[in-house]
């Protein structure tokens, strides 16, 4: 779950950087400051993904990315895709962690072969 979430957030970090390049022509320094703050909060959120609060913070950052669509309208399409990827990271990540926990509960098959000899 953490790997998928961190991949989505790191790609959004890059997308926000490209959106800031488009927004720099608007002449508003506040939009660039907002974009930079959101970018670096994404990096901070990657480190927090070990806990549930990190996933909540990442979800809030999805809303912050969507708000940047008012500055760069073409970001709306990209935001829809990344929100879908974020939701998929949560759903698929939970299923993957459940499967991993089930495998760990069974034990390592290589260890069982060594016990039979």
């Amino acid at each position: 779950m953490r790997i998928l979430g961190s991949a989505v957030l790191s790609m959004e970090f890059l997308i926000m950087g490209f959106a800031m390049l488009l927004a720099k022509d608007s002449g508003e320094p506040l939009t660039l400051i907002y974009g930079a703050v959101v970018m670096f909060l994404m990096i901070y959120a990657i480190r927090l993904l070990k806990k549930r609060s990190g996933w909540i913070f990442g979800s809030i950052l999805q809303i912050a990315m969507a708000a940047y669509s008012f500055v760069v309208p073409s970001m709306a399409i990209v935001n829809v895709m990344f929100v879908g990827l974020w939701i998929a990271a949560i759903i698929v990540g939970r299923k993957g962690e459940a499967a991993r926990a089930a495998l760990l509960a069974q034990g390592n098959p290589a260890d069982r072969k060594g016990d039979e000899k």
Side-chain angles (χ1 to χ4, degrees), residues 94-108 112:
R94 284 183 182 164
K95 288 182 182 178
E97 284 183 355
R100 183 173 183 255
L103 284 174
L104 289 175
Q106 290 177 356
N108 190 355
R112 280 187 265 160

Side-chain angles (χ1 to χ4, degrees), residues 77-95:
I77 297 168
V78 175
N79 285 330
V80 168
M81 291 188 320
F82 275 100
V83 166
L85 287 172
W86 182 254
I87 292 169
I90 292 171
I91 293 170
V92 173
R94 284 183 182 164
K95 288 182 182 178

Side-chain angles (χ1 to χ4, degrees):
M1 192 162 148
R2 230 176 77 205
I3 294 171
L4 295 173
S6 63
V8 171
L9 286 174
S10 60
M11 288 297 114
E12 282 182 333
F13 173 82
L14 296 174
I15 295 297
M16 185 58 103
F18 292 130
M20 286 174 50
L21 287 174
L22 293 173
K24 73 176 174 56
D25 296 333
S26 71
E28 292 287 328
L30 190 60
T31 60
L32 297 177
I33 293 170
Y34 177 80
V37 168
V38 171
M39 280 178 67
F40 290 108
L41 285 176
M42 284 181 188
I43 297 299
Y44 182 66
I46 291 173
R47 296 191 49 88
L48 292 178
L49 288 179
K50 295 176 184 176
K51 304 174 189 172
R52 183 176 173 90
S53 62
W55 287 95
I56 294 169
F57 187 56
S59 298
I60 292 169
L61 286 176
Q62 300 303 314
I63 297 168
M65 277 277 288
Y68 210 69
S69 297
F70 292 110
V71 177
V72 181
S74 59
M75 281 286 292
I77 297 168
V78 175
N79 285 330
V80 168
M81 291 188 320
F82 275 100
V83 166
L85 287 172
W86 182 254
I87 292 169
I90 292 171
I91 293 170
V92 173
R94 284 183 182 164
K95 288 182 182 178
E97 284 183 355
R100 183 173 183 255
L103 284 174
L104 289 175
Q106 290 177 356
N108 190 355
D111 292 341
R112 280 187 265 160
K113 283 184 181 179
D115 291 341
E116 292 174 2
K117 290 181 182 179

